[in-house]
Amino acid sequence: MTNERRRAGQHTHGSVLVIIPTFNERENIGPIVLRVREALAEAHILVVDDGSPDGTGALVEALAADDDHLHVLHRTGKSGLGAAYVAGFDWGMERDYGVLVEMDADGSHAPEDLPRLLAGLDEADVVLGSRYVEGGQVINWPWHRTLLSRGANVYSKLALGVGVDDLTSGFRAYRSTVLRRVKLYDVASQGYCFQVDLAWRAVEAGFRVIEVPITFVDRESGESKMSGSIVREALIRVTKWGLRRRANQLRRWGRA
């Protein structure tokens, strides 16, 4: 496949749906939609809006009136990142998209990296846009946020025994076959723990997961959705999963 066809959004694994959850992202969503369109002209975009008070959903509806590749899924309340993605995955799989992509609305994920993520699907089932592999980087984060993110990823990698350096990355591409196989409704549905859980499930199910480097840029406008409760939830859940994994290993060794 030529680079030109990749840039046009055509892919050997089927049509591409880029899913962008939003809550109060009116300032950011228009520019992001334009950049996605420039990076992948034929890809479809689904904005999953959790009833944004600032009118994000209404703005996207107005943009979609002139763009048949742009869609909006309105949800009545803010119920977490994972729940928004599960709703978006369901919407996409019902319409038989072959590739489903996660990305943020705030500009931290560069749409220009989308062709690299899709190219990775030629050798994998899941491609993670990674800040922590060679060539990846983070721009404009304060040192304590970088330390928290790196520490969380190292801890998750060791606890779960997976060879992935950026399990919390929210910029990733899935073949639809992966999402049809894993039990989406059992996945932890709150905060960024969703990303760890879903990547781990893909690995455990035997799918090939690879990482490609991205440049992550901290948002320039709007407010981050990260909170202390999200961090605590992720720490508790990953610890429980790691202990359960270790217990299962010990049981298997005991029967050997």
Side-chain angles (χ1 to χ4, degrees), residues 12-108:
T12 56
H13 304 295
S15 54
V16 177
L17 179 67
V18 179
I19 302 171
I20 307 176
T22 56
F23 184 77
N24 288 347
E25 296 286 0
R26 183 181 178 88
E27 294 179 44
N28 296 314
I29 193 61
I32 285 297
V33 166
L34 287 175
R35 288 172 64 190
V36 172
R37 180 65 61 247
E38 290 174 357
L40 294 172
E42 294 304 315
H44 284 230
I45 302 168
L46 175 66
V47 174
V48 182
D49 186 65
D50 276 6
S52 297
D54 71 349
T56 299
L59 173 60
V60 179
E61 287 280 8
L63 295 173
D66 297 318
D67 185 349
D68 62 4
H69 283 36
L70 177 61
H71 316 277
V72 192
L73 178 58
H74 295 282
R75 290 167 17 103
T76 55
K78 190 172 184 290
S79 56
L81 182 73
Y85 272 127
V86 169
F89 292 151
D90 282 344
W91 190 97
M93 288 188 290
E94 286 172 2
R95 290 158 179 80
D96 292 324
Y97 287 92
V99 175
L100 297 101
V101 177
E102 297 181 16
M103 71 175 292
D104 289 348
D106 60 14
S108 56

Side-chain angles (χ1 to χ4, degrees), residues 103-170:
M103 71 175 292
D104 289 348
D106 60 14
S108 56
H109 299 149
E112 295 76 19
D113 286 333
L114 283 167
R116 186 183 305 125
L117 261 68
L118 296 187
L121 289 175
D122 287 344
E123 58 180 287
D125 304 296
V126 182
V127 181
L128 306 182
S130 179
R131 297 159 289 185
Y132 305 131
V133 296
E134 184 177 356
Q137 60 178 324
V138 176
I139 295 176
N140 294 337
W141 257 6
W143 68 267
H144 56 85
R145 183 72 184 275
T146 301
L147 183 63
L148 176 64
S149 176
R150 281 191 173 273
N153 276 288
V154 170
Y155 180 75
S156 298
K157 179 179 180 179
L158 294 175
L160 301 178
V162 294
V164 177
D165 292 304
D166 197 351
L167 280 165
T168 64
S169 170

